Amino acid sequence: MTISFPRPRDDEPFAWGLSGSQPVEIWERFSPAYEAQLERLVIALKSLGFSPAVGGAGSEDGEYVRAEHTSTSRITFFYHLEDPADAKFIDTLDDVALRHWITRETAGM
């Protein structure tokens, strides 16, 4: 599955609602910050040998990225994107720290 950016907006509801009339926060799907963060995460996952996919839009827990490692075909990475705390956490990581975090999270899987 190829993920291209910018993604087309869908009509699914937002897991945490919106802070205003349009998505603007980093945890609100399709806001510029959200899309940039998702793209950065997808690039990092691909560079580490994963095949990322996005799902869960409109669900109670919200959209997520899951990734199977190409060497094992096992899903070893799963992360909710619409959770404000999770989105803010990823935002604190620069590109190097993001790759290290992914590597630590998937170690031993």
Side-chain angles (χ1 to χ4, degrees):
M1 170 186 198
T2 302
I3 305 168
S4 58
F5 297 93
R7 299 181 307 152
R9 187 149 172 197
D10 58 34
D11 292 324
E12 297 295 336
F14 297 87
W16 292 75
L18 292 178
S19 59
S21 62
Q22 294 295 318
V24 294
E25 301 292 346
I26 200 159
W27 61 86
E28 295 174 339
R29 287 181 320 110
F30 302 111
S31 75
Y34 182 97
E35 290 298 303
Q37 180 157 278
L38 175 57
E39 183 174 21
R40 192 172 138 241
L41 185 55
V42 165
I43 290 168
L45 286 164
K46 285 181 178 180
S47 75
L48 292 168
F50 289 90
S51 297
V54 179
S59 68
E60 183 177 301
D61 291 331
E63 196 167 61
Y64 58 80
V65 63
R66 68 154 180 85
E68 75 179 38
H69 200 274
T70 53
S71 67
T72 64
S73 297
R74 292 178 53 208
I75 296 172
T76 57
F77 183 85
F78 187 94
Y79 202 73
H80 284 282
L81 300 164
E82 287 188 77
D83 183 300
D86 293 344
K88 288 176 185 176
F89 168 72
I90 291 177
D91 191 45
T92 67
L93 305 174
D94 64 19
D95 290 344
V96 172
L98 178 63
R99 288 173 53 93
H100 285 266
W101 174 73
I102 291 168
T103 302
R104 279 192 318 270
E105 288 297 304
T106 59
M109 293 288 193

